[in-house]
Amino acid sequence: MMLELQREKAAQMQQVLLKEQLSNIYSDVTLTARSLDKLYNFADCAGLHLIFGLNALHRNPDNSWNATSALSLLKYSAGKKYNISWELGNEPNSYRIMAARSVNSSRLAQDYTLLKTLLQSVRFYSRANLYGPNIGRPRKNAILLLDGFMKNGGSVVDAVTWQHYYIDRRVTKVEDFMKTRLLDTLSEQITKVLKIVQTHAPEKHVWLGGVGPAWAGGTNNLSDTFAAGFLWLNTLGIAAAHGIDVVLRHSFFDYGYNHLVDQNFNPLPDYWVSLLFKHLVGPRVLAVHVAGLQRKPRPGRVIRDKLRIYAHCTSFHNHDYVRGSVTIYIINLHRSRKKIKLAGTLRNKTVHQYLLQPFGTEGLQSTSVQLNGEPLRMVDNETFPELKPRTLRAGRTIAMPPVSIGFYVIKNINAYACRR
């Protein structure tokens, strides 16, 4: 009965949010103690850590942040001993558009400094983490805002957050989700953000505080399908290679079409990609050299690779593999099969293959996934299917089917970088 009520409520809320988005007029929502209890209990039961974004648009006549309700929330949460980290606002560079109210970098820094003072005044949260400023896509205005914020108040945050969405919701073609030029935008933007942070506070960690295939809720039958998985896995690979510590995915459920689960709580393609990533990929990043891709472009031409290969130490939490194992994950955007031959110390080692392809007649626009040819479905409401690898004999060439995603664990390689 609870599931049915949640589905009905979710469908109603989605219509409300879509109407507000199209009209650009937004209603206020009051967060009650009961709703906070539900939110925290969900995170706690799922083994997740809750980062709560406080309302930054509750302001005084002089445009300073009105922290009255935030302080009440902090005191209530402290009384419940809720282990929460905090953030203030969302995409402050867009306040003028969304709320007809702008906040400059100096004011934003003052707001965060005030929040830090409030946290320190509530004994339970005196050492709580504070993240921000969660700017939007780092274009000119957002970059200027981040630069000023880091200069005036960057010292108060424990990690610098920002958001990236590849495309807008007006995109209607599946081919747009596979453009290499689009995939490369993330690397360019990470470079911009890191340059600013390293100038003012080189010791600070940088997080992707919000990411999804498309902004404004995404596009139905595209950003919730297998095609979006290329953007998602590309995000994880590029972020790791640049030293981004944490990637926060938008969104798990409810509004829009960037979901990880559908309205019936069944996992969508990006969920299965995420599950395999967490299952197989550790945080230690390894350099990759692909001989066939290291070629010089002709004058005036940029080579944008449709075969993207990343390597990490295999997750230490996966007890199916001994320490020293290596996980390679590959995105093949080609419309043809591609062969990859492992070289050097990787040669002649047994490889476990986890190959993801769309399942069903919809092709790349399918919301179902197959692993090594077998469809992935929940066994029941609480039981995941077994993620079975296919063993490739030692020395065998890896054959990536067209437009597919693959995770490959090289077993028993005893890689020096992956032993500890």
mmCIF file of all heavy atoms in Angstrom, residues 256-303:
data_model
loop_
_atom_site.group_PDB
_atom_site.id
_atom_site.type_symbol
_atom_site.label_atom_id
_atom_site.label_comp_id
_atom_site.label_asym_id
_atom_site.label_seq_id
_atom_site.Cartn_x
_atom_site.Cartn_y
_atom_site.Cartn_z
ATOM 1 N N GLY A 256 11.491 14.787 -13.341
ATOM 2 C CA GLY A 256 12.295 14.757 -14.553
ATOM 3 C C GLY A 256 12.576 13.363 -15.068
ATOM 4 O O GLY A 256 11.872 12.395 -14.757
ATOM 5 N N TYR A 257 13.655 13.257 -15.873
ATOM 6 C CA TYR A 257 13.972 11.998 -16.551
ATOM 7 C C TYR A 257 15.443 11.632 -16.429
ATOM 8 O O TYR A 257 15.960 10.844 -17.215
ATOM 9 C CB TYR A 257 13.586 12.090 -18.031
ATOM 10 C CG TYR A 257 12.134 12.454 -18.238
ATOM 11 C CD1 TYR A 257 11.760 13.749 -18.580
ATOM 12 C CD2 TYR A 257 11.128 11.511 -18.036
ATOM 13 C CE1 TYR A 257 10.424 14.092 -18.747
ATOM 14 C CE2 TYR A 257 9.793 11.844 -18.205
ATOM 15 C CZ TYR A 257 9.441 13.129 -18.562
ATOM 16 O OH TYR A 257 8.120 13.463 -18.712
ATOM 17 N N ASN A 258 16.141 12.219 -15.442
ATOM 18 C CA ASN A 258 17.537 11.847 -15.198
ATOM 19 C C ASN A 258 17.635 10.798 -14.100
ATOM 20 O O ASN A 258 18.631 10.679 -13.416
ATOM 21 C CB ASN A 258 18.354 13.080 -14.772
ATOM 22 C CG ASN A 258 18.561 14.044 -15.926
ATOM 23 O OD1 ASN A 258 18.604 13.646 -17.078
ATOM 24 N ND2 ASN A 258 18.678 15.324 -15.616
ATOM 25 N N HIS A 259 16.599 10.021 -13.928
ATOM 26 C CA HIS A 259 16.482 9.113 -12.797
ATOM 27 C C HIS A 259 17.468 7.951 -12.842
ATOM 28 O O HIS A 259 17.970 7.568 -13.898
ATOM 29 C CB HIS A 259 15.085 8.489 -12.747
ATOM 30 C CG HIS A 259 13.996 9.480 -12.588
ATOM 31 N ND1 HIS A 259 12.707 9.239 -12.972
ATOM 32 C CD2 HIS A 259 13.995 10.732 -12.078
ATOM 33 C CE1 HIS A 259 11.953 10.281 -12.716
ATOM 34 N NE2 HIS A 259 12.721 11.208 -12.183
ATOM 35 N N LEU A 260 17.641 7.362 -11.661
ATOM 36 C CA LEU A 260 18.322 6.067 -11.565
ATOM 37 C C LEU A 260 17.312 4.933 -11.443
ATOM 38 O O LEU A 260 17.635 3.786 -11.753
ATOM 39 C CB LEU A 260 19.262 6.056 -10.364
ATOM 40 C CG LEU A 260 20.492 6.954 -10.490
ATOM 41 C CD1 LEU A 260 21.301 6.942 -9.195
ATOM 42 C CD2 LEU A 260 21.380 6.526 -11.641
ATOM 43 N N VAL A 261 16.099 5.235 -10.966
ATOM 44 C CA VAL A 261 15.035 4.231 -10.918
ATOM 45 C C VAL A 261 13.770 4.844 -11.506
ATOM 46 O O VAL A 261 13.592 6.060 -11.517
ATOM 47 C CB VAL A 261 14.768 3.730 -9.478
ATOM 48 C CG1 VAL A 261 16.003 3.058 -8.910
ATOM 49 C CG2 VAL A 261 14.310 4.861 -8.568
ATOM 50 N N ASP A 262 12.868 3.977 -11.995
ATOM 51 C CA ASP A 262 11.630 4.487 -12.587
ATOM 52 C C ASP A 262 10.554 4.656 -11.513
ATOM 53 O O ASP A 262 10.796 4.465 -10.323
ATOM 54 C CB ASP A 262 11.165 3.592 -13.742
ATOM 55 C CG ASP A 262 10.743 2.191 -13.276
ATOM 56 O OD1 ASP A 262 10.497 1.991 -12.061
ATOM 57 O OD2 ASP A 262 10.656 1.295 -14.141
ATOM 58 N N GLN A 263 9.352 5.018 -11.927
ATOM 59 C CA GLN A 263 8.285 5.299 -10.979
ATOM 60 C C GLN A 263 7.846 4.060 -10.193
ATOM 61 O O GLN A 263 7.191 4.175 -9.157
ATOM 62 C CB GLN A 263 7.072 5.889 -11.725
ATOM 63 C CG GLN A 263 7.342 7.231 -12.364
ATOM 64 C CD GLN A 263 7.640 8.329 -11.347
ATOM 65 O OE1 GLN A 263 7.056 8.369 -10.281
ATOM 66 N NE2 GLN A 263 8.559 9.218 -11.682
ATOM 67 N N ASN A 264 8.204 2.892 -10.683
ATOM 68 C CA ASN A 264 7.924 1.650 -9.963
ATOM 69 C C ASN A 264 9.141 1.131 -9.217
ATOM 70 O O ASN A 264 9.161 -0.020 -8.774
ATOM 71 C CB ASN A 264 7.408 0.582 -10.933
ATOM 72 C CG ASN A 264 6.075 0.952 -11.544
ATOM 73 O OD1 ASN A 264 5.162 1.359 -10.836
ATOM 74 N ND2 ASN A 264 5.958 0.836 -12.859
ATOM 75 N N PHE A 265 10.166 1.988 -9.122
ATOM 76 C CA PHE A 265 11.392 1.690 -8.383
ATOM 77 C C PHE A 265 12.254 0.611 -9.047
ATOM 78 O O PHE A 265 13.119 0.023 -8.396
ATOM 79 C CB PHE A 265 11.080 1.295 -6.926
ATOM 80 C CG PHE A 265 10.206 2.290 -6.230
ATOM 81 C CD1 PHE A 265 8.874 2.016 -5.978
ATOM 82 C CD2 PHE A 265 10.703 3.527 -5.847
ATOM 83 C CE1 PHE A 265 8.057 2.943 -5.354
ATOM 84 C CE2 PHE A 265 9.905 4.461 -5.218
ATOM 85 C CZ PHE A 265 8.572 4.168 -4.978
ATOM 86 N N ASN A 266 12.009 0.340 -10.316
ATOM 87 C CA ASN A 266 12.874 -0.587 -11.040
ATOM 88 C C ASN A 266 14.127 0.146 -11.506
ATOM 89 O O ASN A 266 14.035 1.267 -12.011
ATOM 90 C CB ASN A 266 12.148 -1.167 -12.259
ATOM 91 C CG ASN A 266 10.951 -2.005 -11.857
ATOM 92 O OD1 ASN A 266 11.060 -2.888 -11.025
ATOM 93 N ND2 ASN A 266 9.794 -1.708 -12.445
ATOM 94 N N PRO A 267 15.319 -0.457 -11.388
ATOM 95 C CA PRO A 267 16.550 0.208 -11.814
ATOM 96 C C PRO A 267 16.538 0.526 -13.309
ATOM 97 O O PRO A 267 16.159 -0.312 -14.135
ATOM 98 C CB PRO A 267 17.644 -0.818 -11.479
ATOM 99 C CG PRO A 267 17.065 -1.657 -10.388
ATOM 100 C CD PRO A 267 15.598 -1.745 -10.704
ATOM 101 N N LEU A 268 16.957 1.737 -13.644
ATOM 102 C CA LEU A 268 17.139 2.148 -15.030
ATOM 103 C C LEU A 268 18.599 1.941 -15.426
ATOM 104 O O LEU A 268 19.439 1.629 -14.581
ATOM 105 C CB LEU A 268 16.731 3.616 -15.173
ATOM 106 C CG LEU A 268 15.219 3.869 -15.047
ATOM 107 C CD1 LEU A 268 14.923 5.356 -14.888
ATOM 108 C CD2 LEU A 268 14.471 3.307 -16.251
ATOM 109 N N PRO A 269 18.942 2.088 -16.726
ATOM 110 C CA PRO A 269 20.310 1.774 -17.173
ATOM 111 C C PRO A 269 21.424 2.404 -16.362
ATOM 112 O O PRO A 269 22.413 1.751 -16.028
ATOM 113 C CB PRO A 269 20.301 2.259 -18.626
ATOM 114 C CG PRO A 269 18.895 2.018 -19.075
ATOM 115 C CD PRO A 269 18.052 2.360 -17.880
ATOM 116 N N ASP A 270 21.295 3.706 -16.025
ATOM 117 C CA ASP A 270 22.368 4.360 -15.262
ATOM 118 C C ASP A 270 22.542 3.759 -13.872
ATOM 119 O O ASP A 270 23.614 3.852 -13.282
ATOM 120 C CB ASP A 270 22.099 5.866 -15.152
ATOM 121 C CG ASP A 270 22.522 6.612 -16.407
ATOM 122 O OD1 ASP A 270 22.907 5.943 -17.390
ATOM 123 O OD2 ASP A 270 22.472 7.848 -16.416
ATOM 124 N N TYR A 271 21.473 3.172 -13.326
ATOM 125 C CA TYR A 271 21.605 2.504 -12.031
ATOM 126 C C TYR A 271 22.517 1.291 -12.166
ATOM 127 O O TYR A 271 23.410 1.071 -11.343
ATOM 128 C CB TYR A 271 20.233 2.074 -11.504
ATOM 129 C CG TYR A 271 20.267 1.603 -10.064
ATOM 130 C CD1 TYR A 271 19.797 2.421 -9.048
ATOM 131 C CD2 TYR A 271 20.780 0.356 -9.712
ATOM 132 C CE1 TYR A 271 19.830 2.014 -7.721
ATOM 133 C CE2 TYR A 271 20.828 -0.062 -8.393
ATOM 134 C CZ TYR A 271 20.342 0.766 -7.409
ATOM 135 O OH TYR A 271 20.401 0.353 -6.100
ATOM 136 N N TRP A 272 22.298 0.490 -13.210
ATOM 137 C CA TRP A 272 23.120 -0.712 -13.403
ATOM 138 C C TRP A 272 24.576 -0.335 -13.681
ATOM 139 O O TRP A 272 25.500 -0.993 -13.192
ATOM 140 C CB TRP A 272 22.556 -1.568 -14.540
ATOM 141 C CG TRP A 272 21.192 -2.124 -14.271
ATOM 142 C CD1 TRP A 272 20.042 -1.839 -14.939
ATOM 143 C CD2 TRP A 272 20.823 -3.060 -13.249
ATOM 144 N NE1 TRP A 272 18.990 -2.530 -14.413
ATOM 145 C CE2 TRP A 272 19.439 -3.297 -13.370
ATOM 146 C CE3 TRP A 272 21.536 -3.721 -12.242
ATOM 147 C CZ2 TRP A 272 18.745 -4.169 -12.528
ATOM 148 C CZ3 TRP A 272 20.846 -4.590 -11.393
ATOM 149 C CH2 TRP A 272 19.480 -4.809 -11.537
ATOM 150 N N VAL A 273 24.785 0.732 -14.464
ATOM 151 C CA VAL A 273 26.157 1.218 -14.689
ATOM 152 C C VAL A 273 26.795 1.612 -13.365
ATOM 153 O O VAL A 273 27.940 1.259 -13.072
ATOM 154 C CB VAL A 273 26.156 2.413 -15.671
ATOM 155 C CG1 VAL A 273 27.544 3.053 -15.750
ATOM 156 C CG2 VAL A 273 25.712 1.969 -17.063
ATOM 157 N N SER A 274 26.033 2.341 -12.533
ATOM 158 C CA SER A 274 26.547 2.784 -11.229
ATOM 159 C C SER A 274 26.851 1.599 -10.323
ATOM 160 O O SER A 274 27.869 1.582 -9.621
ATOM 161 C CB SER A 274 25.526 3.700 -10.543
ATOM 162 O OG SER A 274 25.174 4.780 -11.367
ATOM 163 N N LEU A 275 25.970 0.610 -10.335
ATOM 164 C CA LEU A 275 26.151 -0.553 -9.466
ATOM 165 C C LEU A 275 27.419 -1.313 -9.846
ATOM 166 O O LEU A 275 28.207 -1.704 -8.981
ATOM 167 C CB LEU A 275 24.932 -1.467 -9.566
ATOM 168 C CG LEU A 275 24.901 -2.656 -8.608
ATOM 169 C CD1 LEU A 275 24.826 -2.177 -7.161
ATOM 170 C CD2 LEU A 275 23.715 -3.565 -8.917
ATOM 171 N N LEU A 276 27.631 -1.524 -11.137
ATOM 172 C CA LEU A 276 28.854 -2.212 -11.579
ATOM 173 C C LEU A 276 30.086 -1.379 -11.263
ATOM 174 O O LEU A 276 31.128 -1.917 -10.864
ATOM 175 C CB LEU A 276 28.777 -2.509 -13.078
ATOM 176 C CG LEU A 276 28.099 -3.826 -13.460
ATOM 177 C CD1 LEU A 276 27.919 -3.901 -14.971
ATOM 178 C CD2 LEU A 276 28.897 -5.024 -12.974
ATOM 179 N N PHE A 277 29.992 -0.077 -11.450
ATOM 180 C CA PHE A 277 31.126 0.799 -11.145
ATOM 181 C C PHE A 277 31.510 0.675 -9.670
ATOM 182 O O PHE A 277 32.680 0.505 -9.330
ATOM 183 C CB PHE A 277 30.764 2.249 -11.489
ATOM 184 C CG PHE A 277 31.924 3.199 -11.424
ATOM 185 C CD1 PHE A 277 32.693 3.457 -12.548
ATOM 186 C CD2 PHE A 277 32.263 3.831 -10.230
ATOM 187 C CE1 PHE A 277 33.773 4.334 -12.493
ATOM 188 C CE2 PHE A 277 33.335 4.703 -10.159
ATOM 189 C CZ PHE A 277 34.090 4.950 -11.298
ATOM 190 N N LYS A 278 30.522 0.772 -8.780
ATOM 191 C CA LYS A 278 30.795 0.667 -7.346
ATOM 192 C C LYS A 278 31.308 -0.731 -6.980
ATOM 193 O O LYS A 278 32.100 -0.890 -6.059
ATOM 194 C CB LYS A 278 29.527 0.969 -6.547
ATOM 195 C CG LYS A 278 29.013 2.382 -6.704
ATOM 196 C CD LYS A 278 29.901 3.385 -5.981
ATOM 197 C CE LYS A 278 29.727 3.358 -4.493
ATOM 198 N NZ LYS A 278 30.487 4.448 -3.815
ATOM 199 N N HIS A 279 30.864 -1.723 -7.710
ATOM 200 C CA HIS A 279 31.219 -3.115 -7.428
ATOM 201 C C HIS A 279 32.646 -3.444 -7.871
ATOM 202 O O HIS A 279 33.337 -4.238 -7.225
ATOM 203 C CB HIS A 279 30.214 -4.024 -8.146
ATOM 204 C CG HIS A 279 30.367 -5.481 -7.865
ATOM 205 N ND1 HIS A 279 30.210 -6.029 -6.602
ATOM 206 C CD2 HIS A 279 30.656 -6.525 -8.683
ATOM 207 C CE1 HIS A 279 30.401 -7.329 -6.656
ATOM 208 N NE2 HIS A 279 30.678 -7.658 -7.902
ATOM 209 N N LEU A 280 33.100 -2.802 -8.954
ATOM 210 C CA LEU A 280 34.358 -3.224 -9.580
ATOM 211 C C LEU A 280 35.475 -2.181 -9.548
ATOM 212 O O LEU A 280 36.648 -2.543 -9.631
ATOM 213 C CB LEU A 280 34.095 -3.589 -11.056
ATOM 214 C CG LEU A 280 33.113 -4.727 -11.311
ATOM 215 C CD1 LEU A 280 32.821 -4.834 -12.808
ATOM 216 C CD2 LEU A 280 33.659 -6.046 -10.777
ATOM 217 N N VAL A 281 35.136 -0.909 -9.453
ATOM 218 C CA VAL A 281 36.116 0.161 -9.655
ATOM 219 C C VAL A 281 36.515 0.784 -8.318
ATOM 220 O O VAL A 281 35.666 1.271 -7.573
ATOM 221 C CB VAL A 281 35.559 1.246 -10.595
ATOM 222 C CG1 VAL A 281 36.571 2.358 -10.797
ATOM 223 C CG2 VAL A 281 35.160 0.633 -11.936
ATOM 224 N N GLY A 282 37.810 0.758 -8.029
ATOM 225 C CA GLY A 282 38.326 1.395 -6.824
ATOM 226 C C GLY A 282 38.709 2.839 -7.092
ATOM 227 O O GLY A 282 38.717 3.304 -8.234
ATOM 228 N N PRO A 283 39.067 3.600 -6.048
ATOM 229 C CA PRO A 283 39.355 5.026 -6.210
ATOM 230 C C PRO A 283 40.721 5.339 -6.808
ATOM 231 O O PRO A 283 40.957 6.470 -7.228
ATOM 232 C CB PRO A 283 39.269 5.559 -4.773
ATOM 233 C CG PRO A 283 39.604 4.383 -3.920
ATOM 234 C CD PRO A 283 39.071 3.184 -4.634
ATOM 235 N N ARG A 284 41.630 4.367 -6.857
ATOM 236 C CA ARG A 284 42.976 4.649 -7.364
ATOM 237 C C ARG A 284 42.990 4.579 -8.897
ATOM 238 O O ARG A 284 42.698 3.550 -9.490
ATOM 239 C CB ARG A 284 43.992 3.677 -6.770
ATOM 240 C CG ARG A 284 45.435 3.972 -7.192
ATOM 241 C CD ARG A 284 46.421 3.277 -6.275
ATOM 242 N NE ARG A 284 46.354 3.807 -4.912
ATOM 243 C CZ ARG A 284 47.062 3.326 -3.894
ATOM 244 N NH1 ARG A 284 47.885 2.312 -4.079
ATOM 245 N NH2 ARG A 284 46.954 3.856 -2.693
ATOM 246 N N VAL A 285 43.366 5.689 -9.526
ATOM 247 C CA VAL A 285 43.321 5.808 -10.986
ATOM 248 C C VAL A 285 44.672 5.440 -11.583
ATOM 249 O O VAL A 285 45.720 5.816 -11.055
ATOM 250 C CB VAL A 285 42.950 7.253 -11.395
ATOM 251 C CG1 VAL A 285 42.803 7.364 -12.912
ATOM 252 C CG2 VAL A 285 41.668 7.686 -10.695
ATOM 253 N N LEU A 286 44.641 4.717 -12.688
ATOM 254 C CA LEU A 286 45.862 4.301 -13.383
ATOM 255 C C LEU A 286 45.937 4.974 -14.752
ATOM 256 O O LEU A 286 44.914 5.247 -15.385
ATOM 257 C CB LEU A 286 45.887 2.779 -13.557
ATOM 258 C CG LEU A 286 45.719 1.963 -12.268
ATOM 259 C CD1 LEU A 286 45.624 0.476 -12.599
ATOM 260 C CD2 LEU A 286 46.867 2.224 -11.303
ATOM 261 N N ALA A 287 47.159 5.226 -15.189
ATOM 262 C CA ALA A 287 47.355 5.816 -16.521
ATOM 263 C C ALA A 287 47.050 4.778 -17.599
ATOM 264 O O ALA A 287 47.301 3.587 -17.424
ATOM 265 C CB ALA A 287 48.784 6.319 -16.663
ATOM 266 N N VAL A 288 46.507 5.241 -18.704
ATOM 267 C CA VAL A 288 46.168 4.360 -19.822
ATOM 268 C C VAL A 288 46.862 4.855 -21.083
ATOM 269 O O VAL A 288 46.794 6.043 -21.405
ATOM 270 C CB VAL A 288 44.641 4.314 -20.054
ATOM 271 C CG1 VAL A 288 44.316 3.472 -21.277
ATOM 272 C CG2 VAL A 288 43.922 3.768 -18.827
ATOM 273 N N HIS A 289 47.526 3.965 -21.774
ATOM 274 C CA HIS A 289 48.096 4.295 -23.074
ATOM 275 C C HIS A 289 47.508 3.340 -24.108
ATOM 276 O O HIS A 289 47.649 2.127 -23.987
ATOM 277 C CB HIS A 289 49.618 4.160 -23.070
ATOM 278 C CG HIS A 289 50.244 4.448 -24.406
ATOM 279 N ND1 HIS A 289 50.515 5.728 -24.844
ATOM 280 C CD2 HIS A 289 50.624 3.616 -25.411
ATOM 281 C CE1 HIS A 289 51.042 5.672 -26.059
ATOM 282 N NE2 HIS A 289 51.125 4.404 -26.420
ATOM 283 N N VAL A 290 46.819 3.903 -25.093
ATOM 284 C CA VAL A 290 46.204 3.099 -26.144
ATOM 285 C C VAL A 290 46.935 3.403 -27.439
ATOM 286 O O VAL A 290 46.822 4.498 -27.990
ATOM 287 C CB VAL A 290 44.700 3.405 -26.287
ATOM 288 C CG1 VAL A 290 44.064 2.459 -27.294
ATOM 289 C CG2 VAL A 290 44.010 3.278 -24.933
ATOM 290 N N ALA A 291 47.704 2.450 -27.915
ATOM 291 C CA ALA A 291 48.592 2.691 -29.062
ATOM 292 C C ALA A 291 47.831 3.154 -30.298
ATOM 293 O O ALA A 291 48.239 4.075 -30.985
ATOM 294 C CB ALA A 291 49.392 1.421 -29.368
ATOM 295 N N GLY A 292 46.681 2.569 -30.559
ATOM 296 C CA GLY A 292 45.950 2.903 -31.781
ATOM 297 C C GLY A 292 45.300 4.266 -31.746
ATOM 298 O O GLY A 292 44.899 4.781 -32.787
ATOM 299 N N LEU A 293 45.195 4.866 -30.544
ATOM 300 C CA LEU A 293 44.544 6.173 -30.427
ATOM 301 C C LEU A 293 45.539 7.320 -30.329
ATOM 302 O O LEU A 293 45.161 8.480 -30.450
ATOM 303 C CB LEU A 293 43.632 6.191 -29.193
ATOM 304 C CG LEU A 293 42.479 5.183 -29.179
ATOM 305 C CD1 LEU A 293 41.653 5.349 -27.905
ATOM 306 C CD2 LEU A 293 41.591 5.334 -30.402
ATOM 307 N N GLN A 294 46.801 7.005 -30.080
ATOM 308 C CA GLN A 294 47.804 8.051 -29.898
ATOM 309 C C GLN A 294 48.388 8.467 -31.252
ATOM 310 O O GLN A 294 49.558 8.275 -31.543
ATOM 311 C CB GLN A 294 48.920 7.557 -28.966
ATOM 312 C CG GLN A 294 48.410 6.960 -27.677
ATOM 313 C CD GLN A 294 47.609 7.958 -26.858
ATOM 314 O OE1 GLN A 294 47.941 9.134 -26.838
ATOM 315 N NE2 GLN A 294 46.576 7.496 -26.179
ATOM 316 N N ARG A 295 47.547 9.017 -32.110
ATOM 317 C CA ARG A 295 47.985 9.427 -33.427
ATOM 318 C C ARG A 295 47.852 10.937 -33.575
ATOM 319 O O ARG A 295 47.064 11.560 -32.882
ATOM 320 C CB ARG A 295 47.155 8.718 -34.500
ATOM 321 C CG ARG A 295 45.662 9.024 -34.419
ATOM 322 C CD ARG A 295 44.859 8.050 -35.279
ATOM 323 N NE ARG A 295 43.472 8.419 -35.397
ATOM 324 C CZ ARG A 295 42.535 8.166 -34.499
ATOM 325 N NH1 ARG A 295 42.865 7.578 -33.373
ATOM 326 N NH2 ARG A 295 41.289 8.519 -34.697
ATOM 327 N N LYS A 296 48.613 11.489 -34.478
ATOM 328 C CA LYS A 296 48.592 12.943 -34.669
ATOM 329 C C LYS A 296 47.493 13.319 -35.662
ATOM 330 O O LYS A 296 47.357 12.701 -36.712
ATOM 331 C CB LYS A 296 49.947 13.423 -35.190
ATOM 332 C CG LYS A 296 51.082 13.267 -34.179
ATOM 333 C CD LYS A 296 52.376 13.818 -34.749
ATOM 334 C CE LYS A 296 53.513 13.685 -33.730
ATOM 335 N NZ LYS A 296 54.786 14.218 -34.250
ATOM 336 N N PRO A 297 46.707 14.344 -35.318
ATOM 337 C CA PRO A 297 45.660 14.767 -36.251
ATOM 338 C C PRO A 297 46.239 15.533 -37.427
ATOM 339 O O PRO A 297 47.323 16.095 -37.354
ATOM 340 C CB PRO A 297 44.783 15.683 -35.392
ATOM 341 C CG PRO A 297 45.727 16.235 -34.373
ATOM 342 C CD PRO A 297 46.723 15.134 -34.092
ATOM 343 N N ARG A 298 45.500 15.544 -38.514
ATOM 344 C CA ARG A 298 45.888 16.364 -39.656
ATOM 345 C C ARG A 298 45.745 17.835 -39.290
ATOM 346 O O ARG A 298 44.972 18.180 -38.395
ATOM 347 C CB ARG A 298 45.008 16.034 -40.870
ATOM 348 C CG ARG A 298 45.224 14.614 -41.408
ATOM 349 C CD ARG A 298 44.633 14.498 -42.811
ATOM 350 N NE ARG A 298 43.208 14.762 -42.823
ATOM 351 C CZ ARG A 298 42.281 13.816 -42.669
ATOM 352 N NH1 ARG A 298 42.650 12.555 -42.472
ATOM 353 N NH2 ARG A 298 41.000 14.126 -42.703
ATOM 354 N N PRO A 299 46.501 18.733 -39.946
ATOM 355 C CA PRO A 299 46.426 20.162 -39.621
ATOM 356 C C PRO A 299 44.985 20.680 -39.654
ATOM 357 O O PRO A 299 44.235 20.394 -40.579
ATOM 358 C CB PRO A 299 47.277 20.811 -40.715
ATOM 359 C CG PRO A 299 48.241 19.740 -41.118
ATOM 360 C CD PRO A 299 47.484 18.448 -41.016
ATOM 361 N N GLY A 300 44.631 21.396 -38.595
ATOM 362 C CA GLY A 300 43.293 21.978 -38.529
ATOM 363 C C GLY A 300 42.213 21.033 -38.087
ATOM 364 O O GLY A 300 41.029 21.373 -38.083
ATOM 365 N N ARG A 301 42.583 19.795 -37.694
ATOM 366 C CA ARG A 301 41.572 18.821 -37.300
ATOM 367 C C ARG A 301 41.857 18.294 -35.904
ATOM 368 O O ARG A 301 43.001 18.042 -35.554
ATOM 369 C CB ARG A 301 41.540 17.651 -38.295
ATOM 370 C CG ARG A 301 40.423 16.656 -38.000
ATOM 371 C CD ARG A 301 40.524 15.446 -38.898
ATOM 372 N NE ARG A 301 39.523 14.447 -38.526
ATOM 373 C CZ ARG A 301 39.601 13.167 -38.840
ATOM 374 N NH1 ARG A 301 40.656 12.722 -39.501
ATOM 375 N NH2 ARG A 301 38.650 12.326 -38.491
ATOM 376 N N VAL A 302 40.803 18.140 -35.121
ATOM 377 C CA VAL A 302 40.919 17.582 -33.771
ATOM 378 C C VAL A 302 40.381 16.156 -33.783
ATOM 379 O O VAL A 302 39.296 15.899 -34.301
ATOM 380 C CB VAL A 302 40.128 18.430 -32.747
ATOM 381 C CG1 VAL A 302 40.190 17.793 -31.366
ATOM 382 C CG2 VAL A 302 40.680 19.846 -32.708
ATOM 383 N N ILE A 303 41.163 15.242 -33.255
ATOM 384 C CA ILE A 303 40.706 13.852 -33.154
ATOM 385 C C ILE A 303 39.910 13.693 -31.873
ATOM 386 O O ILE A 303 40.393 13.976 -30.787
ATOM 387 C CB ILE A 303 41.896 12.870 -33.170
ATOM 388 C CG1 ILE A 303 42.570 12.902 -34.540
ATOM 389 C CG2 ILE A 303 41.440 11.463 -32.820
ATOM 390 C CD1 ILE A 303 43.784 12.020 -34.638
#
